[in-house]
Amino acid sequence: MRDIYENPLITRYASKEMAQNFSDDKKFRTWRKLWIALAEAEKELGLDISDEQIAEMKAHQDDINYDVAEAREKEVRHDVMAHVYAYGVQCPTAKPIIHLGATSCYVGDNTDIILMRDGLDIIKCKLLNCINVLSRFALQYKDMPTLGFTHFQPAQPTTIGKRACLWIQDLLMDLNQLDFIMDNLVLRGAKGTTGTQASFLILFDGDHEKVKALDRLIAKKMGFKGAFAVTGQTYPRKLDSNVINVLSGIAQSAYKFSNDIRLLQHLKEIEEPFEEKQIGSSAMAYKRNPMRSERIGSLARHVLTMALDPAITASTQWLERTLDDSANRRIVIPQSFLAVDAILLLYINVADGLVVYPAMIERHLREELPFMATEYILMEAVKRGGDRQELHERIRRYSVEAGRHVKVEGKANDLVNMIASDPTFSLSRQEIDAIMDANNFVGRAPQQVEEFIGENVQPVLEKYAAILGLKAEIEV
């Protein structure tokens, strides 16, 4: 349909698996799984629920009669009760015990947590792929000197690989936060209308241990290690804020990477991939715009702004609950996941196709190294008997003059020629050129790359390769 708005996160950017994760079909199938888990747990704890009833519910777990549910919702204006009714139509024997003792948040909130867990699994897989691709790039270019920048002004050289490790380290920090959230993720459980479990206490004739066991059983059946110890009607909305903050962190890391690539592409040192027939501009045919990196930044900005919504929602919930969270959460949670999913797809694509231009990198080094090499030249000249103070003053004057030639007159940097022509330094042009080898200025950058990848990245990739089925993608 072209006459109504469509969400570009679905139609243009995010993966099909993430879109399916937050689909209505998965949500309603999960509701039915939760109703089955509730019935099974209640039966195991002694309620009068038959195997036949549970078998009937399982038989219709996935063939949802949406037409019945939608028609019923128009009458009752309540989505959960409409689906309870529709399930009961398909399961007449089980109808009396479907949703027994539960409130709407039993299926609504528990499903939201399950969808977020599954969404984090998808994100984690892409995050690891991204780390892997960048690690290969870092190792490939660990020795290649490049001009470093502070304040986007030329600074001491680093290496291409060392700079890539900065990007990887950000992602590792994000992975640690994601793992922490996932390791501590629990269900809402079966808590009743205000979290007191009063309805279940009635069902189990005042047996507190069975009510507590009900929570544990449901959590286990749904693949969780436990449930919140206490809730209101809803699980604490603080959880949403914590989860979205992890996604925001990933967006921040990707945003920094994309900005770095845009700056480097302007310098013509490193470019994002550009297809053979890709058009950069409708008017300027020569242009190679960093469109994918710009899209990363655009989507990341959306995630960063959305992260404020769950924080405000968590802050403004009244007592046991209010419903002003619902519409906001329906938008913010899926869209945050979809946007970060799209960001990581782009990140992997860009990182895997980065184009490096060594000649331009060397040219920029040659233009700036004379200034950076002056301390080394000074020390060598002093070792040959020169006066440190006199030499320092001469270098200062030559540097000012060379800077004027570059900035005012647009000439090449001739500082080295000035110094080599001055017999006070006792250094030939060849000797100064040897001092100005860029590899002399990168310090431990190559070793840092090897150590960082070996000690910090490799163990992570090995740990998760088998778990996430990435052996084909990750070289470990």
Side-chain angles (χ1 to χ4, degrees):
M1 296 178 65
R2 300 181 185 275
D3 58 344
I4 59 173
Y5 173 77
E6 291 184 335
N7 189 333
L9 287 171
I10 299 292
T11 58
R12 294 176 68 93
Y13 301 132
S15 67
K16 183 177 180 180
E17 63 178 340
M18 188 62 82
Q20 289 177 333
N21 186 62
F22 288 98
S23 67
D24 279 350
D25 190 56
K26 179 165 182 179
K27 177 176 75 172
F28 295 131
R29 286 170 186 256
T30 305
W31 283 12
R32 292 196 170 188
K33 290 178 183 178
L34 283 160
W35 280 320
I36 292 169
L38 176 63
E40 286 181 333
E42 289 174 335
K43 178 183 185 301
E44 290 168 25
L45 292 168
L47 293 191
D48 186 17
I49 296 173
S50 68
D51 290 336
E52 181 186 1
Q53 288 173 311
I54 291 174
E56 187 178 55
M57 293 173 71
K58 288 183 175 180
H60 295 283
Q61 175 180 297
D62 295 320
D63 61 329
I64 300 174
N65 47 347
Y66 283 111
D67 54 340
V68 176
E70 289 164 4
R72 184 67 172 177
E73 187 173 352
K74 288 179 181 178
E75 296 177 23
V76 299
R77 310 296 296 175
H78 196 289
D79 56 351
V80 173
M81 289 309 298
H83 276 267
V84 168
Y85 174 82
Y87 206 5
V89 169
Q90 289 178 310
C91 306
T93 303
K95 177 183 174 183
I97 55 91
I98 295 174
H99 198 66
L100 182 60
T103 187
S104 297
C105 285
Y106 169 71
V107 287
D109 270 27
N110 284 320
T111 293
D112 286 345
I113 294 172
I114 290 166
L115 298 185
M116 287 194 291
R117 177 198 63 187
D118 294 351
L120 288 172
D121 272 334
I122 296 170
I123 293 296
K124 184 172 180 175
C125 181
K126 291 182 172 66
L127 191 59
L128 285 163
N129 269 298
C130 200
I131 291 169
N132 174 57
V133 169
L134 284 175
S135 298
R136 292 201 302 262
F137 178 82
L139 288 170
Q140 180 180 355
Y141 292 100
K142 66 183 176 66
D143 295 311
M144 182 178 286
T146 187
L147 199 60
F149 288 92
T150 58
H151 316 276
F152 201 40
Q153 303 301 310
Q156 188 177 41
T158 181
T159 69
I160 300 293
K162 170 63 166 52
R163 179 178 284 148
C165 287
L166 298 177
W167 303 328
I168 299 167
Q169 184 162 255
D170 284 349
L171 296 178
L172 286 178
M173 293 171 68
D174 296 326
L175 180 64
N176 286 337
Q177 292 298 311
L178 189 151
D179 278 343
F180 178 82
I181 288 292
M182 294 191 72
D183 289 344
N184 291 278
L185 201 61
V186 293
L187 277 184
R188 173 190 177 273
K191 295 293 197 298
T193 54
T194 59
T196 65
Q197 298 178 300
S199 58
F200 297 108
L201 197 61
I202 293 171
L203 283 174
F204 290 106
D205 298 322
D207 190 330
H208 289 262
E209 292 305 315
K210 286 188 175 182
V211 174
K212 289 161 59 179
L214 181 68
D215 247 3
R216 293 194 298 267
L217 278 172
I218 290 170
K220 184 177 180 181
K221 289 176 183 295
M222 299 308 297
F224 287 80
K225 64 183 179 182
F228 278 103
V230 292
T231 71
Q233 187 173 89
T234 66
Y235 67 77
R237 295 311 187 215
K238 187 83 171 179
L239 174 61
D240 297 343
S241 183
N242 289 344
V243 170
I244 304 305
N245 280 338
V246 170
L247 300 181
S248 173
I250 296 170
Q252 293 162 36
S253 300
Y255 207 164
K256 189 263 193 286
F257 164 80
S258 71
N259 280 337
D260 283 356
I261 297 303
R262 291 167 68 186
L263 293 170
L264 292 169
Q265 186 150 332
H266 169 76
L267 295 171
K268 298 181 174 63
E269 292 189 355
I270 296 180
E271 286 184 350
E272 68 173 41
F274 195 88
E275 308 300 333
E276 183 181 352
K277 296 185 178 181
Q278 183 176 332
I279 296 174
S281 168
S282 62
M284 296 169 280
Y286 61 88
K287 292 196 76 179
R288 294 168 66 98
N289 299 330
M291 296 165 60
R292 297 175 216 194
S293 296
E294 290 173 321
R295 193 178 306 148
I296 290 173
S298 184
L299 290 168
R301 194 178 308 129
H302 182 49
V303 177
L304 300 190
T305 58
M306 281 195 295
L308 185 59
D309 270 340
I312 295 173
T313 297
S315 305
T316 56
Q317 286 296 285
W318 295 359
L319 305 174
E320 279 64 52
R321 90 151 303 175
T322 55
L323 199 59
D324 60 338
D325 61 340
S326 179
N328 187 281
R329 295 175 68 253
R330 285 177 188 267
I331 297 168
V332 169
I333 294 175
Q335 287 202 12
S336 295
F337 275 90
L338 288 162
V340 171
D341 179 80
I343 287 167
L344 287 174
L345 285 172
L346 287 164
Y347 200 152
I348 294 167
N349 177 266
V350 172
D352 199 33
L354 288 173
V355 181
V356 178
Y357 294 106
M360 285 300 297
I361 292 168
E362 185 180 356
R363 172 183 165 182
H364 291 148
L365 278 167
R366 285 199 312 270
E367 291 171 351
E368 301 296 339
L369 268 179
F371 296 119
M372 297 172 194
T374 53
E375 183 180 6
Y376 289 63
I377 293 170
L378 176 63
M379 293 301 101
E380 184 61 32
V382 169
K383 286 197 303 186
R384 300 186 181 202
D387 182 315
R388 192 266 178 201
Q389 311 311 326
E390 179 187 354
L391 295 172
H392 183 279
E393 176 58 22
R394 287 175 179 269
I395 286 176
R396 186 193 67 80
R397 292 201 310 268
Y398 291 150
S399 297
V400 170
E401 186 177 353
R404 183 177 61 80
H405 291 167
V406 171
K407 296 178 182 178
V408 178
E409 301 175 15
K411 296 180 178 178
N413 188 338
D414 55 354
L415 176 60
V416 170
N417 288 332
M418 295 180 191
I419 294 174
S421 301
D422 187 337
T424 309
F425 288 88
S426 302
L427 290 168
S428 68
R429 176 59 194 257
Q430 289 75 20
E431 289 173 319
I432 294 175
D433 284 343
I435 291 173
M436 288 206 316
D437 183 342
N439 289 290
N440 294 334
F441 297 85
V442 300
R444 294 192 65 252
Q447 291 77 20
Q448 284 182 324
V449 174
E450 291 180 350
E451 292 163 3
F452 174 71
I453 299 297
E455 297 170 12
N456 295 275
V457 180
Q458 194 77 5
V460 171
L461 297 180
E462 290 175 350
K463 176 182 177 181
Y464 289 116
I467 296 173
L468 297 177
L470 297 179
K471 281 196 177 293
E473 323 293 332
I474 296 175
E475 297 174 1
V476 297

